[in-house]
Amino acid sequence: MTEDQQKTAPEDDISEDDDKSWAISRKEASAILFAVDVGDRDTLIDLMEPLHAADIADMLEQMNAFDRMRLIKLYDKEFDGEILSELDESIREDVIRALTPQVLADAVRELDSDDVVDLIEDLDEAQQETILDALEVSDRVAVEQSLGYPEYSAGRLMQREVVMAPEHWNVGEAIDYLRATEDLPEQFYHIVMVDPKLRPVGNVALGRLMASRREVLLRSLIEDTWHVIPVTRPEAEVAYAFNQYHLISAPVVDESDRLVGVITIDDAMAVLDEEHEEDILRLAGVGEESRLSDNTLETVKQRLPWLAVNLLTAVLASLVIAQYEDVIGAVVALAVLMPIVASMGGNAGTQALTVAVRALATKDLTSSNVWRIIGRELTVGLLNGVVFAVVMGLLALVWFGTPVLGLVIAAAMVINLVVAGLAGIGVPVVLERFGIDPALASGTFVTTVTDVVGFFAFLGLASAVLL
């Protein structure tokens, strides 16, 4: 195998490690750290050259701060701008500070305008100015214009580098133009056809362009799936459109419907990933920006408020229990069985809640089908409740030898699982109607409902039947 072939086939080495199949193996990471320890820059460059920027970014995120800074300083001018765009925001600022001004300037010049915008929008003003100063005048103007659009909008997400052609061109003219142009984007999927006022009228895929004869008019090759995105459209809606309509790229227009940029599928999918990640973190109550690379104090600050909310809800559930001290004292078995009812309700509510939040995010749960879904969850809760009511009723009978106690916990189980299904769907729907992110607050409300209802149903029935 030649040296070039070896450099383009790093997966041969990676496959030897059972730990990972696509990312950097432990063997490679150890070799890189050893090169950093001994200060062997040539070996470090040889080891890093075949690696993808995303894998290098992952490795930097997993390193401790001391080793990360040493690697960056030793790697120096070989540092690729793509690594910066792949880095997690939590350590990106530290990496930028570690780069020399010249290395940083060379790195950002390699990036498309959308990557530069993503890179600097969360930095402080001084760091933003450092990066902007490194850009060519035209690139700086494009980036500053994008930063002028609302945060999390299509204007921030788009790249300014667009390949466009007049609507009257034929295939031959388009191909000649592409061959003669030196500053084409590094990657693009369509030629955007525009009218004399620079308003997009259609997309022509490169595959269809290259497969057609020179005299064929571009307008005859326009794709059927055609979506134009306003520059102020929220990026979450943009990502939804890409996923829903299987788009590869889409033009972005300003208030006058003139072409100002293009959004490609990689950026849209990155938004989808971020949305999913935020939903998971919010549902868990750990903060939407929680990362493994956060320090201890940051992690405490992110989790403390939600633990405080949970404490308040737990106190509320305890107040319900306190109302039935007499019955618990008289029938000690209630204290043993009580957590089971609340736990089953909490799990059932979380199941329905997770489905509801995801369906709302993907727009599958709408006003047209919400009552049908609520009815389904009520039926599911009822059937599950009956099944586990039988199980717990028999268990309570065998365990404590009291048939009435078995009936009490069975009835409480049915009630709580039905309420859990209703709360799991109803709470996120209601919160969204009031403009509150359902992923952020639903979990607390649903847990509170299932705990309170579970304890109230179980202890209330026990008080009425057993005393």
Side-chain angles (χ1 to χ4, degrees), residues 294-450:
D294 292 342
N295 60 41
T296 302
L297 185 59
E298 289 172 337
T299 304
V300 170
K301 288 181 178 178
Q302 290 165 352
R303 299 184 186 182
L304 189 62
W306 295 107
L307 290 175
V309 171
N310 285 335
L311 176 61
L312 291 177
T313 61
V315 169
L316 180 60
S318 297
L319 291 175
V320 174
I321 297 173
Q323 304 305 310
Y324 297 96
E325 290 181 1
D326 294 341
V327 68
I328 294 174
V331 185
V332 179
L334 296 177
V336 177
L337 297 175
M338 188 169 57
I340 299 176
V341 178
S343 176
M344 289 296 293
N347 286 333
T350 301
Q351 289 175 338
L353 168 65
T354 303
V355 172
V357 170
R358 184 73 195 102
L360 287 170
T362 58
K363 305 186 188 303
D364 291 329
L365 181 57
T366 64
S367 57
S368 62
N369 66 356
V370 63
W371 290 109
R372 178 173 62 82
I373 300 302
I374 288 176
R376 187 198 70 175
E377 289 299 326
L378 286 174
T379 304
V380 169
L382 177 61
L383 294 177
N384 283 336
V386 170
V387 171
F388 289 105
V390 172
V391 173
M392 284 307 305
L394 293 174
L395 179 61
L397 175 61
V398 173
W399 196 346
F400 298 102
T402 309
V404 177
L405 183 59
L407 293 175
V408 168
I409 193 170
M413 189 73 73
V414 172
I415 293 171
N416 205 21
L417 262 65
V418 170
V419 171
L422 178 61
I425 291 293
V427 168
V429 169
V430 171
L431 289 176
E432 189 186 50
R433 293 287 173 85
F434 283 96
I436 302 172
D437 187 345
L440 185 62
S442 296
T444 301
F445 285 111
V446 171
T447 301
T448 302
V449 168
T450 55

Side-chain angles (χ1 to χ4, degrees), residues 17-51:
D17 192 308
D18 294 335
D19 207 21
K20 297 178 181 179
S21 58
W22 293 103
I24 299 174
S25 67
R26 287 182 294 180
K27 179 181 177 181
E28 290 171 314
S30 297
I32 289 170
L33 282 175
F34 181 76
V36 172
D37 287 336
V38 299
D40 189 345
R41 185 170 185 273
D42 292 336
T43 299
L44 177 64
I45 292 173
D46 289 340
L47 291 170
M48 299 274 278
E49 183 180 1
L51 302 179

Side-chain angles (χ1 to χ4, degrees), residues 208-285:
R208 294 199 67 187
L209 177 78
M210 301 307 297
S212 303
R213 299 177 65 86
R214 290 182 61 87
E215 62 272 13
V216 174
L217 293 176
L218 290 182
R219 67 169 64 97
S220 67
L221 303 177
I222 291 178
E223 289 188 337
D224 295 332
T225 304
W226 167 244
H227 287 271
V228 176
I229 299 173
V231 73
T232 54
R233 179 69 55 82
E235 63 177 22
E237 295 183 15
V238 174
Y240 171 80
F242 268 74
N243 188 52
Q244 179 76 2
Y245 304 112
H246 311 294
L247 304 179
I248 300 298
S249 69
V252 181
V253 296
D254 61 13
E255 295 79 3
S256 302
D257 292 329
R258 291 175 300 186
L259 181 66
V260 292
V262 66
I263 294 175
T264 55
I265 188 171
D266 56 325
D267 295 316
M269 292 305 100
V271 172
L272 273 183
D273 286 343
E274 290 173 3
E275 291 287 324
H276 296 166
E277 181 180 342
E278 287 177 4
D279 285 348
I280 292 172
L281 293 173
R282 286 170 174 171
L283 282 171

Side-chain angles (χ1 to χ4, degrees), residues 144-187:
E144 288 178 333
Q145 287 176 341
S146 293
L147 289 172
Y149 293 115
E151 192 174 8
Y152 307 118
S153 67
R156 291 285 188 98
L157 192 62
M158 71 180 181
Q159 65 181 56
R160 291 282 183 157
E161 298 83 5
V162 187
V163 181
M164 66 181 80
E167 57 183 331
H168 62 269
W169 271 12
N170 60 28
V171 169
E173 290 172 307
I175 291 176
D176 292 341
Y177 166 75
L178 295 177
R179 288 174 176 170
T181 303
E182 296 182 357
D183 58 346
L184 290 175
E186 184 174 336
Q187 290 184 342

